[in-house]
Amino acid sequence: MTSARITLDRDFTVGDVPHRLFGSFVEHMGRCVYTGIFEPGHPTANESGFRTDVLDLVRELGPTVVRYPGGNFVSGYNWEDGVGPVDQRPRRLDGAWHTLETNQFGLHEFMDWSRLANVEVMQAINLGTRGVDAARELVEYANHPGGTYLSDLRRKNGAEEPFDIRLWCLGNELDGPWQIGHKTPTEYGRLAKEAAKAMRYVDPTIELVAVGSSNSGMPTFGEWEHTVLSHVYDEVDYISLHAYYQEHDGDAASFLASALDMDHFIESVIATADAVRARGRHKKHINLSFDEWNVWYQRGKETEDQEHRVKESGWREHPRLIEDEYTMTDAVVVGTFLNSLLRHGDRVHIANQAQLVNVIAPIRTEENGPAWRQAIFWPFARMAALAKGRILRASVTSDRVETTQYSDADIVDVSATWDEENSRVALFLANRSLDDAATVEVALHGFRGDRIVRAEILEAPDGADRHVSNTAADERVVLRPLPGVSITDGGLTLTLPALSWAVVEVTVAKA
Ligand code: AHR
């Protein structure tokens, strides 16, 4: 048995929970759009061809904002291909994923879907093969009320009212040599500045995200952010971060501590953005948009073989790509990523789990078949629903676990929020130990614990190990009631089983 003590004080808060922290991502990649969210002919499809079984799961998952349409895809995409009469839309080769894009799904379809899914749209523009002109034209098409060629074209295409898209990404991963239209930081910084300027001439109210590093291991990491922000500081509101993690060679301890790397990445980008702020004598802060994050098994040889097979089989529509099946271990890691993002919610204002359906996703589907929840669905769903109000600064004293990849890490990882309006404190807890349960003592300062509203645990079901996952036929990894959570004089006590993720929600009164 290990132990941890957590102290929460109503006077020590990080800031408000950013509404956009629980975002997701829909890319024209693999089967995320086609046979994922959109499948005309599926038994559950509505008149627009949207799978309503998937829509139900998306609403249950609860993302607040969804980035679209890529990803690497967007760097070779002409937005005009996806609007207008469906039968006249061009079929195109998508070089990013070696896929035949039919354009049966485009901007109007995504806007319609987003309304049903109850999510805000975060629109990415192509700064790979295209530039200032296409960017400003898309803003005019989407956001201008009418009376111009492009806004009237939108109306003719069926959308009388403007889409009113607030949030825009100025391209995708342009620091990466794999990206169509890869750029140096100076090339990108200049282009992003001019695109931003022209987009804001059309609609001054939009918010803009500059492309940051594709991951913190990029050789240009740091220099990229510094140079890009030196060019676009005044024009943008956010800088992006992307990161994917996986277990290497059975080193579960390091994998379970990956959120330490995420913490470090976030803090490094904040430091770089603030250095540019100081140097340029700027007043505003640039905040962070962690607009791609997740567990992704980039298996080296196996991934190369899959890519090879996709290429060998020629240009096909929506091939199966990176449909990772997530385990109990992955779910705990995802819980710790969400904790890291929430703990940094004063500066990380947007975050998008990549992706939403089928492609490294919490929701899986089969063509003409069922849809189901992966193990990683649960931490996201509960945190999106319950992390409300203010983020509490948690002081943690925990037994530690040694890792080879990072330093030693707290065995118990936590984030917490205080919803003053509804007098509730929510705690999101992970036990990183593979073998030992952890007793957790939570001290509440300035609050008095009143009633346990919810106590749930995600752990491997009886008879299963940490590799257990959900399948179409059997969702084995599900939340169950967590027994034994008690309110004490000064707070709470509970026990977390080995390798588990838990949520505890308690009503509180002022102490
Ligand atoms: O999410 C999958 C891919 O990962 C995205 O297209 C790209 O931006 C990133 O490298």
Side-chain angles (χ1 to χ4, degrees):
M1 186 76 91
T2 66
S3 68
R5 185 178 160 80
I6 297 163
T7 306
L8 303 175
D9 187 317
R10 54 176 280 152
D11 289 329
F12 294 159
T13 59
V14 175
D16 290 339
V17 177
H19 179 69
R20 292 165 167 163
L21 201 67
F22 301 102
S24 190
F25 176 33
V26 165
E27 177 166 6
H28 283 243
M29 174 180 179
R31 300 192 309 112
C32 187
V33 172
Y34 302 106
T35 74
I37 64 172
F38 178 72
E39 189 181 332
H42 186 273
T44 73
N46 67 9
E47 65 289 354
S48 306
F50 306 148
R51 282 184 64 154
T52 57
D53 58 343
V54 175
L55 267 170
D56 287 345
L57 288 178
V58 171
R59 288 191 211 102
E60 186 184 334
L61 182 71
T64 50
V65 57
V66 177
R67 184 167 174 252
Y68 174 82
N72 295 344
F73 170 80
V74 80
S75 295
Y77 179 55
N78 299 333
W79 67 264
E80 300 88 338
D81 293 346
V83 303
V86 173
D87 57 355
Q88 289 166 33
R89 294 188 192 169
R91 290 161 71 82
R92 298 267 192 198
L93 300 183
D94 159 30
W97 302 116
H98 198 83
T99 297
L100 218 162
E101 173 58 53
T102 63
N103 285 305
Q104 297 303 289
F105 189 96
L107 182 60
H108 288 251
E109 289 76 22
F110 188 64
M111 294 307 305
D112 291 345
W113 180 87
S114 72
R115 279 183 214 106
L116 294 175
N118 198 19
V119 299
E120 180 186 359
V121 169
M122 180 179 189
Q123 179 74 31
I125 60 161
N126 173 359
L127 286 187
T129 58
R130 304 191 77 188
V132 179
D133 216 29
R136 72 183 177 132
E137 292 200 346
L138 178 51
V139 177
E140 183 177 331
Y141 183 91
N143 285 6
H144 195 68
T148 65
Y149 170 71
L150 287 165
S151 54
D152 287 343
L153 185 60
R154 179 200 68 238
R155 295 165 72 195
K156 192 173 139 213
N157 287 336
E160 182 59 33
E161 296 303 319
F163 293 143
D164 199 22
I165 302 172
R166 300 285 95 223
L167 192 54
W168 297 76
C169 302
L170 296 166
N172 179 71
E173 293 191 351
L174 288 148
D175 63 323
W178 60 87
Q179 198 72 200
I180 300 177
H182 167 223
K183 291 175 177 47
T184 66
T186 304
E187 287 167 346
Y188 172 70
R190 288 285 307 123
L191 178 60
K193 182 183 174 78
E194 292 308 311
K197 196 172 85 188
M199 291 163 79
R200 281 237 165 87
Y201 281 169
V202 178
D203 183 349
T205 67
I206 56 179
E207 295 170 59
L208 296 172
V209 184
V211 164
S213 292
S214 300
N215 59 69
S216 60
M218 295 297 289
T220 50
F221 174 55
E223 184 211 331
W224 175 275
E225 283 75 3
H226 194 277
T227 308
V228 167
L229 285 178
S230 300
H231 285 287
V232 298
Y233 202 96
D234 285 330
E235 279 76 22
V236 302
D237 306 286
Y238 311 95
I239 181 93
S240 76
L241 297 82
H242 290 182
Y244 294 100
Y245 296 90
Q246 69 187 92
E247 183 174 327
H248 292 282
D249 307 320
D251 182 2
S254 296
F255 177 49
L256 283 157
S258 306
L260 267 66
D261 185 73
M262 189 180 239
D263 290 341
H264 186 250
F265 187 14
I266 291 170
E267 285 155 25
S268 304
V269 175
I270 292 172
T272 310
D274 288 351
V276 179
R277 175 177 184 254
R279 180 94 193 269
R281 293 170 174 75
H282 300 283
K283 287 215 164 52
K284 73 171 182 187
H285 280 104
I286 296 290
N287 289 311
L288 275 53
S289 172
F290 213 127
D291 46 41
E292 285 187 34
W293 67 266
N294 208 349
V295 172
W296 175 4
Y297 286 90
Q298 305 184 54
R299 292 183 181 84
K301 173 100 180 61
E302 212 179 300
T303 308
E304 280 165 32
D305 286 352
Q306 188 193 45
E307 282 168 7
H308 184 70
R309 278 197 303 277
V310 169
K311 290 198 172 134
E312 283 289 280
S313 61
W315 294 92
R316 284 185 301 132
E317 294 175 28
H318 54 78
R320 249 174 221 276
L321 292 174
I322 59 169
E323 298 193 359
D324 288 14
E325 189 171 308
Y326 290 113
T327 65
M328 182 57 222
T329 316
D330 301 326
V332 173
V333 172
V334 162
T336 63
F337 291 158
L338 288 161
N339 281 348
S340 168
L341 294 165
L342 191 56
R343 285 191 301 254
H344 291 96
D346 54 332
R347 294 299 294 274
V348 180
H349 285 189
I350 305 166
N352 308 70
Q353 188 179 37
Q355 298 187 8
L356 183 60
V357 185
N358 287 330
V359 178
I360 44 172
I363 299 170
R364 287 282 308 274
T365 70
E366 281 305 336
E367 187 167 359
N368 207 27
W372 67 100
R373 303 166 194 82
Q374 296 236 55
I376 62 168
F377 183 97
W378 292 110
F380 189 107
R382 282 297 181 271
M383 289 184 74
L386 304 176
K388 298 281 178 234
R390 297 186 62 76
I391 305 160
L392 291 165
R393 188 177 301 284
S395 152
V396 182
T397 311
S398 167
D399 284 335
R400 315 270 294 169
V401 57
E402 293 275 326
T403 76
T404 49
Q405 224 179 317
Y406 309 110
S407 60
D408 55 344
D410 283 342
I411 287 180
V412 174
D413 184 70
V414 66
S415 68
T417 54
W418 170 35
D419 177 357
E420 192 174 5
E421 218 178 290
N422 296 302
S423 308
R424 286 182 184 199
V425 164
L427 287 119
F428 309 102
L429 302 132
N431 181 358
R432 289 182 165 121
S433 170
L434 292 169
D435 308 309
D436 295 316
T439 55
V440 181
E441 224 182 279
V442 183
L444 295 175
H445 291 178
F447 300 115
R448 193 171 35 76
D450 192 21
R451 185 170 58 89
I452 309 290
V453 181
R454 179 193 300 268
E456 290 173 322
I457 188 82
L458 195 68
E459 62 177 326
D462 277 349
D465 64 16
R466 71 182 186 89
H467 302 289
V468 61
S469 60
N470 292 347
T471 62
D474 195 0
E475 287 189 26
R476 296 185 72 192
V477 185
V478 288
L479 282 167
R480 295 190 169 80
L482 171 64
V485 182
S486 332
I487 295 188
T488 60
D489 252 359
L492 307 169
T493 55
L494 58 123
T495 301
L496 296 172
L499 191 72
S500 63
W501 181 88
V503 52
V504 174
E505 204 190 2
V506 58
T507 56
V508 288
K510 199 170 171 188

